[in-house]
Amino acid sequence: MESSLTVNNLKTTFFTSGGTVQAVRGVSFEVGKGEIVGIVGESGSGKSVTSMSILRLLPGTARIAPESSIIFEEQELSTLATKQLREIRGQKIAMIFQDPMSSLNPLISVGKQVEEMMKTHHTDMSKEELHERALELFRQVRIPEPEKRFKEFPHQFSGGMRQRVMIAMALANRPDLLIADEPTTALDVTIQDQILKQLRALQRESGASIIFITHDLGVVAELCQRVLVMYGGLIMEEAPIDDLFEDPRHPYTLGLLASVPSLSQDKAGRLASIPGSPPDMTKPPEGCPFAPRCPSARQICAAEQPPYVQMGEHRRSMCWLLQPDAPAENNPFRKEAAK
């Protein structure tokens, strides 16, 4: 598959009064053209910082390491001048944020905000063309009565409808890559399902690539073709979606899957959880960041960061338990050898 985005050795650090936060510590991955890739993990795992780093939408306290590389359609984004990057933001790469209320201007009608998104990159469009394209986008994302809703303000829309406006804005300039940062988190399950179906349909129609960031594995299963599991600023596991659910190859992924509720589970029982807390990223661990919470951790797990074990195309895991000489005892990936 032809690559749309290639991220190589991404390291993003925040310099704060409380210390230096190593939020992303060497992340590498690709997104193919027309592919939907999920990034999943707990809060603080580095998934949102990874997405913000791609477009350099970071605060002044953040720094991307000079050895990091972010290549989009054969163009290196990490070293682009701000003016050149602005031409890509919103046009070639668009973003949908988690909270549309904080992303939309409360003093400007939603229709005008969609028009402004297009006007920034298409100065040759007439007022009539901008207006008609905005209405077309409203219809495309299933906003009812687009002529009437065009003139309304964000507070007059429900949460789900505001998110549809954000999707319309993101699609306004027909981007090649769409980054959706937890866009369904604040929505109820019915609206969430509608938004996911909308994104899938829009991807089929436009052929755009999508990076979908979430903490919800259920959402990933419904939408994505491939998934990256992040923890402690690193990618713990990468796999096609079916492989991840049928044969997870990292203890953290096993823990995440065990905590997902199912219809067959005992209703009187408690949901499984992962004991402990995520690592302090001002003092990231030398070894595997999940080792203190891992029920199968060995001494080496805390001492040295494991290398990736490659198990096929787009299939890898960062775990010492997958090494050929790893002991079988108490090893979830060596069950046959342990018998």
Side-chain angles (χ1 to χ4, degrees):
M1 181 183 293
E2 188 179 355
S3 177
S4 175
L5 176 77
T6 302
V7 176
N8 192 27
N9 197 28
L10 176 64
K11 297 178 181 177
T12 303
T13 304
F14 293 86
F15 296 90
T16 72
S17 57
T20 302
V21 180
Q22 299 178 46
V24 179
R25 302 192 290 141
V27 162
S28 301
F29 65 93
E30 290 187 358
V31 179
K33 291 197 172 182
E35 186 181 24
I36 305 178
V37 175
I39 303 181
V40 67
E42 293 174 80
S43 296
S45 62
K47 57 190 189 299
S48 290
V49 176
T50 297
S51 70
M52 295 291 191
S53 299
I54 292 170
L55 284 173
R56 301 216 311 261
L57 293 172
L58 298 165
T61 56
R63 296 288 184 276
I64 296 175
E67 63 266 30
S68 302
S69 174
I70 304 166
I71 299 173
F72 173 69
E73 295 185 349
E74 301 183 355
Q75 189 171 24
E76 177 61 67
L77 301 186
S78 63
T79 55
L80 274 187
T82 303
K83 184 179 178 181
Q84 292 174 298
L85 196 56
R86 281 200 194 107
E87 293 173 359
I88 291 174
R89 290 176 186 153
Q91 183 173 16
K92 294 281 189 179
I93 306 176
M95 197 154 189
I96 305 170
F97 295 96
Q98 178 177 344
D99 182 9
M101 200 60 188
S102 63
S103 303
L104 293 168
N105 190 324
L107 303 178
I108 301 176
S109 70
V110 293
K112 286 294 180 186
Q113 293 188 59
V114 175
E115 286 184 348
E116 284 298 318
M117 177 62 74
M118 292 181 284
K119 194 175 179 180
T120 301
H121 297 284
H122 301 283
T123 54
D124 57 334
M125 289 180 74
S126 67
K127 288 184 179 180
E128 292 76 17
E129 288 172 326
L130 289 169
H131 184 75
E132 187 50 47
R133 171 65 177 152
L135 291 176
E136 179 190 329
L137 286 162
F138 275 24
R139 296 186 195 101
Q140 192 175 2
V141 298
R142 309 293 191 270
I143 293 177
E145 302 180 279
E147 286 279 7
K148 176 188 173 185
R149 306 310 300 261
F150 182 94
K151 301 172 184 178
E152 293 181 344
F153 293 84
H155 72 271
Q156 295 175 280
F157 281 65
S158 67
M161 282 298 167
R162 283 195 293 266
Q163 198 58 279
R164 288 171 192 260
V165 172
M166 290 299 298
I167 294 172
M169 291 177 70
L171 296 173
N173 295 306
R174 299 180 175 89
D176 297 315
L177 174 63
L178 186 63
I179 302 173
D181 189 0
E182 305 217 37
T184 62
T185 298
L187 306 176
D188 65 55
V189 291
T190 304
I191 303 301
Q192 175 178 283
D193 184 60
Q194 292 175 4
I195 295 295
L196 293 177
K197 287 178 179 175
Q198 192 69 59
L199 284 172
R200 195 185 303 110
L202 292 169
Q203 187 278 330
R204 283 196 300 265
E205 293 167 13
S206 66
S209 306
I210 298 178
I211 297 175
F212 194 93
I213 297 161
T214 182
H215 62 274
D216 189 336
L217 277 169
V219 170
V220 164
E222 188 173 342
L223 182 70
C224 302
Q225 297 156 283
R226 184 161 51 90
V227 61
L228 311 173
V229 180
M230 286 194 70
Y231 185 83
L234 296 166
I235 294 173
M236 296 285 97
E237 181 166 8
E238 174 185 2
I241 192 67
D242 290 341
D243 291 346
L244 188 90
F245 280 85
E246 292 172 10
D247 185 27
R249 306 297 286 172
H250 195 281
Y252 180 56
T253 309
L254 288 170
L256 289 178
L257 289 169
S259 65
V260 176
S262 69
L263 293 173
S264 60
Q265 72 184 54
D266 181 7
K267 303 300 183 291
R270 293 171 63 92
L271 282 174
S273 62
I274 303 174
S277 302
D280 178 0
M281 300 310 291
T282 61
K283 299 173 183 176
E286 293 182 7
C288 172
F290 188 61
R293 305 173 71 185
C294 180
S296 306
R298 305 296 199 271
Q299 188 172 355
I300 191 174
C301 299
E304 295 180 41
Q305 184 175 303
Y308 282 110
V309 175
Q310 202 74 31
M311 295 165 283
E313 187 179 13
H314 299 307
R315 185 81 164 102
R316 57 179 167 145
S317 181
M318 180 187 282
C319 184
W320 284 114
L321 297 172
L322 296 172
Q323 296 296 325
D325 56 350
E329 185 182 356
N330 193 30
N331 186 337
F333 310 116
R334 298 288 174 84
K335 292 176 182 176
E336 292 184 5
K339 292 178 182 178

